[in-house]
Amino acid sequence: MSVNTIKKYSPLVGWGAVIIILPIILYRATPALQYAEGWRTFYYDSDYYDVMLSSYGAMGCIKAFFLQFFAHPWHGTAVMTLVMMLYMAIIDLILTRLLKKKLMASIISAVICIASAVSLTSWMGNINPKYLIDIGDNGAKSSLMYMRMSNYVRHHQWDEIIDLCNENGRITNLLHQNSLNMALAEKEQLGDKLLDQPVEDINSIYVSQIQTAEVAGLLSDVYFSFGHIAQSQRYAFETNEKMFNLSPRMLQRLIETNLIFGQKEVAEKYQLILSKTLYYKDWKPSEKEIAEKRKCIFDDNRFSGIKGLDDDLLHIARNTRGTRQCRVTLQYLGSLYILARYDTLFVKMADEFSGSKDLAKPMPEYFEGYYKHLLNEK
């Protein structure tokens, strides 16, 4: 190969490195960026700009603008790649003129571009930059795993959650356990697999200590899965308030829960907010799910939790007999009875529902074993 040929193609060294490395960085960061987008997307509205500028500044607006594209991860990856490539081209042009050496300018601009991509994606996704370059960072890896699980919960990808947990062995993190047990309940497998993973107590089903807005958002998901619509709405509302009413994920939940309660005008108010986004302006909740969840509403005008969560779930199960929601709710209720050692209530529940479509015989593995154990103790 001639010297002239080498000089001609030498700039491709830096560009080649960026084309290979940049997508890897973005791929590893995508779960965090998609997760962050669910809490704060971009709204095309003057009032939104005022809130963002006063609360987060100009950089907060820029961050939200780019995060919006991660509502669809490949869109976000494509946009970010193009932006970073343009950034590199500008640096490369400047350095080529300053250094008069194309190869050196290309290599330096590539290094700057990659370093900037790591820094930018870490800032946007609120993750430790070590994870993007070092797979051994267990703390960051655990956080990113939860973000992946949370994204799966949002889109009802229950099989993906179960597969992810199977790949990672023992699941001891309570937030991971909550997400896994939600997936198992939705797949009607919780009673069969409740004790396959380590469990603390009822906190493995739903965490009792709410330390962040994101944990409250998880509880909104858990209660929605329970069929406990009032509590799901409560946590969605509180979480969205803490997010300055800017969380598309919680706005979607508020639309769903208000439609379930028949509050159409309130739902339309939240729908109007989402209509000012790029990716959610045409979003509509599932009518089938709304109709099914409507059967969960208490028929005795009780205050939520006044007789305990287990009593609420029992009423939900009775109200939804013969439906998928009833089977899911019973998966939770039986598991909570076992973990809380409410033996008498567990037997009553089993006697009331077993043999029906909702809790077939034989019952789920751990339910059946626990039921027989309690009967033998008598």
Side-chain angles (χ1 to χ4, degrees):
M1 185 179 290
S2 67
V3 173
N4 288 334
T5 302
I6 294 174
K7 288 182 178 180
K8 180 179 178 180
Y9 291 103
S10 60
L12 296 180
V13 173
W15 283 99
V18 167
I19 291 170
I20 293 171
I21 297 174
L22 191 58
I24 294 174
I25 292 172
L26 289 170
Y27 173 78
R28 291 178 65 81
T30 291
L33 296 172
Q34 187 181 13
Y35 177 81
E37 186 277 335
W39 302 114
R40 189 196 307 167
T41 196
F42 191 82
Y43 297 82
Y44 294 83
D45 178 70
S46 58
D47 291 337
Y48 166 79
Y49 305 142
D50 293 339
V51 172
M52 286 297 293
L53 288 172
S54 61
S55 302
Y56 302 105
M59 292 304 292
C61 282
I62 294 172
K63 177 178 179 178
F65 178 80
F66 285 109
L67 277 177
Q68 72 176 316
F69 298 107
F70 284 91
H72 289 281
W74 287 113
H75 292 190
T77 300
V79 169
M80 290 297 296
T81 298
L82 290 173
V83 169
M84 294 310 298
M85 296 290 276
L86 176 62
Y87 174 63
M88 178 180 171
I90 294 171
I91 295 175
D92 190 41
L93 179 63
I94 294 171
L95 290 178
T96 298
R97 293 187 175 182
L98 290 176
L99 300 177
K100 307 298 182 181
K101 296 181 179 180
K102 290 185 178 180
L103 177 59
M104 183 62 69
S106 177
I107 293 174
I108 293 175
S109 61
V111 171
I112 293 174
C113 179
I114 293 169
S116 298
V118 170
S119 177
L120 181 63
T121 52
S122 299
W123 170 64
M124 288 177 58
N126 297 317
I127 57 173
N128 191 327
K130 287 184 178 180
Y131 184 79
L132 302 177
I133 55 178
D134 179 13
I135 198 168
D137 190 325
N138 292 328
K141 185 178 180 181
S142 177
S143 296
L144 205 58
M145 179 178 171
Y146 172 69
M147 292 177 188
R148 288 179 64 186
M149 295 173 78
S150 183
N151 294 336
Y152 291 146
V153 168
R154 184 181 182 187
H155 298 290
H156 295 183
Q157 294 172 283
W158 311 119
D159 287 327
E160 284 80 353
I161 294 174
I162 295 170
D163 291 342
L164 179 62
C165 291
N166 288 338
E167 292 170 8
N168 284 271
R170 286 170 56 85
I171 304 299
T172 56
N173 182 294
L174 282 178
L175 299 184
H176 296 177
Q177 289 180 355
N178 277 206
S179 301
L180 172 60
N181 289 328
M182 192 189 325
L184 290 172
E186 289 286 345
K187 296 293 292 185
E188 301 176 32
Q189 298 174 9
L190 184 56
D192 290 306
K193 300 182 178 181
L194 174 64
L195 304 179
D196 287 0
Q197 288 280 0
V199 287
E200 291 278 336
D201 46 34
I202 61 173
N203 282 285
S204 294
I205 305 293
Y206 72 106
V207 290
S208 57
Q209 293 185 339
I210 306 172
Q211 298 175 337
T212 65
E214 287 82 358
V215 173
L218 170 63
L219 280 176
S220 179
D221 291 324
V222 172
Y223 276 102
F224 196 75
S225 181
F226 283 172
H228 205 309
I229 309 306
Q231 286 291 76
S232 177
Q233 184 180 74
R234 169 198 165 190
Y235 285 116
F237 182 82
E238 291 178 357
T239 303
N240 197 46
E241 284 279 295
K242 293 176 181 178
M243 299 289 181
F244 298 97
N245 297 316
L246 299 177
S247 168
R249 183 171 182 170
M250 293 298 101
L251 286 171
Q252 288 174 313
R253 176 56 44 74
L254 289 169
I255 291 169
E256 291 171 327
T257 54
N258 276 287
L259 286 176
I260 291 168
F261 282 120
Q263 301 293 329
K264 188 177 179 181
E265 291 183 359
V266 180
E268 288 175 347
K269 179 187 74 172
Y270 292 120
Q271 192 82 55
L272 179 62
I273 299 174
L274 280 186
S275 70
K276 299 175 182 178
T277 65
L278 180 62
Y279 286 96
Y280 304 102
K281 56 186 176 182
D282 297 319
W283 178 84
K284 300 291 182 184
S286 165
E287 292 183 5
K288 180 180 178 181
E289 186 173 44
I290 297 299
E292 184 178 78
K293 295 287 185 182
R294 192 168 286 145
K295 297 176 183 178
C296 300
I297 299 174
F298 301 140
D299 52 10
D300 57 357
N301 295 320
R302 65 170 58 200
F303 287 109
S304 296
I306 195 170
K307 296 182 180 180
L309 173 63
D310 59 300
D311 193 67
D312 285 351
L313 295 185
L314 184 60
H315 272 69
I316 292 168
R318 287 170 174 164
N319 286 354
T320 58
R321 284 180 183 273
T323 69
R324 177 185 173 279
Q325 181 62 60
C326 181
R327 298 192 297 274
V328 171
T329 301
L330 289 175
Q331 292 278 325
Y332 283 119
L333 183 57
S335 299
L336 289 171
Y337 281 153
I338 290 174
L339 294 177
R341 297 303 304 268
Y342 286 179
D343 297 346
T344 302
L345 294 175
F346 178 85
V347 171
K348 287 182 178 180
M349 179 210 73
D351 288 341
E352 179 177 348
F353 290 95
S354 65
S356 68
K357 180 182 177 181
D358 305 311
L359 196 63
K361 282 190 175 182
M363 289 185 289
E365 180 181 345
Y366 286 112
F367 288 12
E368 183 77 15
Y370 195 65
Y371 183 75
K372 290 179 178 178
H373 167 72
L374 293 177
L375 293 183
N376 290 335
E377 280 190 340
K378 290 184 177 181

